[in-house]
């Protein structure tokens, strides 16, 4: 097995690469090290990966067709994990074109590379954002997701549809993973946990949207990585009982699968903040704000199918996960 992993210097990509390397698997890590957030953090992650003999770094953009095609030709990966994407719901409102370039054009290039180079399995990141205006909780992969509330969500839904087309046309096994609010050490600076810890330590207020009436299915990074690896090792297959007269969105007569990777235990935002305060040892100053465009009040993952098919079972409670992050943050930034 040789895995081409895109977004290797990103939060989830970094942790997934480490897990693959620990299992003795060769990894070609691809990343363009863009400046969406602190490039130094990405370089710090990357420096831990490049020291490993089974890791090879390829610097470039998945939207660059020639670069990506050359990488497939020279590296000859057997499997691909696509975690490279322009992330962020709110950012997509301000910078829509960057999402088309990375999440649509880039993903097409990934599909074409897999198609033409006999890749055995493509695993790619989708998002809980695809559930959009759905209010039926918990969110199930067997329900339709046709009402996205942001371009980011629409781009991830588009990835799932594009993957299905390639699975159908070319027999390419594809598995899409809908991540639910991933957090943990080495996390993204634009995510709430990172922002809250930084501001609380600095004595600055934290922004609380929807006046605190939020709940999120926070999922610890180790549990997410476990789900990614389980899906990678279980190649997507056709569903023998799939019917076009009553189509299941999560499976197909093609080798195509969609899974939720969540904790199935939504955490109220105010309790989330309480856990951070306890881990940091300081009280937060709150700035209450209305619901932001593109946001949803609550997320909750139905992981019954993921557990049944992959044996996925998240294990990290929110209190421990936040403590782990705060300890990493204090060590990395020499703060307390």
């Amino acid at each position: 097995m040789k895995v081409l992993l895109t977004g290797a210097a990103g939060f989830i990509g970094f942790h997934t690469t480490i897990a693959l390397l620990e299992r003795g698997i060769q990894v070609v890590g691809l990343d363009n090290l863009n400046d969406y957030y602190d490039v130094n953090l990405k370089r710090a992650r990357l420096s831990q990966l490049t020291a490993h003999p089974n890791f090879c770094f390829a610097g470039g953009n998945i939207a660059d067709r020639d670069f990506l095609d050359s990488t497939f030709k020279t590296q000859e990966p057997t499997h691909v994990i696509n975690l490279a994407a322009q992330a962020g719901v709110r950012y997509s409102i301000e910078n829509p074109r960057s999402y088309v370039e990375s999440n649509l054009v880039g993903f097409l290039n990934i599909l074409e590379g897999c198609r033409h180079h006999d890749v055995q399995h493509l695993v790619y990141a989708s998002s809980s954002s695809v559930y959009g205006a759905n209010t039926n909780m918990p969110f199930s992969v067997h329900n339709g997701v046709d009402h996205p509330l942001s371009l980011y969500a629409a781009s991830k839904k588009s990835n799932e549809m594009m993957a299905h087309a390639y699975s159908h046309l070319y027999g390419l096994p594809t598995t899409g993973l809908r991540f639910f609010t991933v957090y943990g050490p080495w996390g993204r600076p634009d995510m709430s946990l990172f922002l809250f810890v930084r501001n609380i330590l600095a004595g600055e207020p934290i922004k609380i949207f929807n006046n605190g009436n939020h709940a999120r299915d926070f999922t610890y990074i180790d549990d997410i990585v476990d789900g990614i690896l389980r899906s990678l090792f279980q190649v997507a297959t056709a569903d023998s009982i799939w019917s076009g007269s009553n189509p299941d969105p999560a499976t197909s007569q093609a080798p195509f699968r969609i899974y939720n990777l969540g904790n199935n235990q939504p955490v109220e935002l105010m309790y989330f903040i309480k856990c951070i305060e306890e881990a940091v040892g300081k009280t937060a100053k709150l700035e209450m704000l209305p619901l932001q465009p593109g946001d949803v009040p609550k997320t909750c993952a139905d992981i019954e199918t993921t557990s049944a098919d992959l044996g996925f079972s998240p294990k990290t409670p929110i209190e421990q996960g936040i403590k782990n992050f705060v300890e990493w943050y204090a060590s990395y930034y020499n703060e307390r």
Side-chain angles (χ1 to χ4, degrees):
M1 178 181 285
K2 186 177 186 181
V3 176
L4 172 63
L5 190 148
T6 70
F11 171 38
I12 301 175
F14 164 70
H15 284 279
T16 305
T17 299
I18 288 177
L20 289 167
L21 293 172
E22 288 177 346
R23 287 161 175 76
I25 297 169
Q26 293 185 69
V27 180
V28 179
L30 190 156
D31 207 291
N32 68 349
L33 298 174
N34 68 33
D35 61 358
Y36 171 65
Y37 63 80
D38 185 9
V39 175
N40 290 326
L41 180 59
K42 297 180 180 182
R43 293 189 184 281
R45 295 178 187 134
L46 188 60
S47 67
Q48 297 200 24
L49 303 178
T50 53
H52 200 287
N54 275 351
F55 180 80
C56 172
F57 179 64
N61 194 326
I62 62 171
D64 183 338
R65 178 179 173 182
D66 292 338
F67 161 74
L68 194 60
D69 188 53
S70 175
T71 302
F72 271 97
K73 286 179 179 177
T74 57
Q75 297 295 338
E76 299 181 324
T78 59
H79 298 68
V80 174
I81 301 176
N82 183 53
L83 302 176
Q86 180 57 63
V89 170
R90 293 169 193 148
Y91 190 74
S92 69
I93 296 172
E94 302 168 7
N95 302 274
R97 295 186 185 278
S98 64
Y99 289 77
V100 172
E101 178 183 359
S102 179
N103 299 6
L104 298 182
V105 175
F107 191 65
L108 173 62
N109 292 338
I110 291 288
L111 288 168
E112 280 288 282
C114 292
R115 168 196 172 191
H116 290 291
H117 296 279
D118 299 322
V119 167
Q120 298 173 26
H121 192 194
L122 166 63
V123 175
Y124 62 94
S126 186
S127 168
S128 62
S129 296
V130 301
Y131 289 103
N134 290 18
T135 57
N136 186 22
M137 298 281 176
F139 293 145
S140 171
V141 292
H142 304 294
N143 294 336
V145 287
D146 299 320
H147 299 88
L149 298 180
S150 68
L151 185 64
Y152 170 69
S155 72
K156 288 299 185 178
K157 169 61 177 173
S158 298
N159 286 173
E160 296 177 3
M161 298 172 71
M162 293 164 71
H164 182 269
Y166 272 67
S167 294
H168 171 74
L169 290 170
Y170 309 113
L172 172 66
T174 66
T175 298
L177 302 175
R178 294 174 178 169
F179 298 148
F180 280 71
T181 316
V182 189
Y183 75 102
W186 294 96
R188 279 175 26 209
D190 62 320
M191 298 292 284
S192 61
L193 179 56
F194 202 113
L195 292 168
F196 289 175
V197 169
R198 182 178 65 193
N199 283 20
I200 292 171
L201 285 171
E204 299 176 358
I206 60 176
K207 295 181 178 181
I208 309 299
F209 295 110
N210 201 29
N211 296 303
N213 296 313
H214 268 312
R216 288 287 181 270
D217 201 344
F218 292 101
T219 314
Y220 191 65
I221 183 61
D222 290 359
D223 294 322
I224 289 289
V225 171
D226 176 66
I228 293 172
L229 265 59
R230 286 176 182 273
S231 65
L232 180 69
F233 299 140
Q234 184 161 309
V235 178
T237 58
D239 183 351
S240 61
I241 62 172
W242 191 88
S243 170
S245 61
N246 185 27
D248 180 354
T251 67
S252 174
Q253 58 189 357
F256 166 89
R257 298 283 164 152
I258 298 290
Y259 294 110
N260 283 336
L261 289 189
N263 203 39
N264 191 231
Q265 294 182 10
V267 175
E268 297 290 336
L269 178 58
M270 300 313 294
Y271 181 72
F272 180 68
I273 294 169
K274 179 183 177 182
C275 291
I276 297 173
E277 291 175 328
E278 291 178 354
V280 171
K282 291 185 178 181
T283 301
K285 299 176 183 177
L286 309 183
E287 180 183 353
M288 309 305 282
L289 296 167
L291 185 68
Q292 297 295 289
D295 271 0
V296 296
K298 182 178 180 179
T299 63
C300 177
D302 180 338
I303 58 172
E304 182 178 349
T305 298
T306 317
S307 298
D309 288 4
L310 305 180
F312 175 71
S313 178
K315 297 176 173 59
T316 311
I318 189 70
E319 298 84 359
Q320 184 62 50
I322 288 176
K323 181 182 177 183
N324 293 349
F325 174 83
V326 170
E327 289 177 352
W328 166 81
Y329 186 97
S331 174
Y332 183 78
Y333 290 103
N334 295 313
E335 290 191 34
R336 192 64 185 175

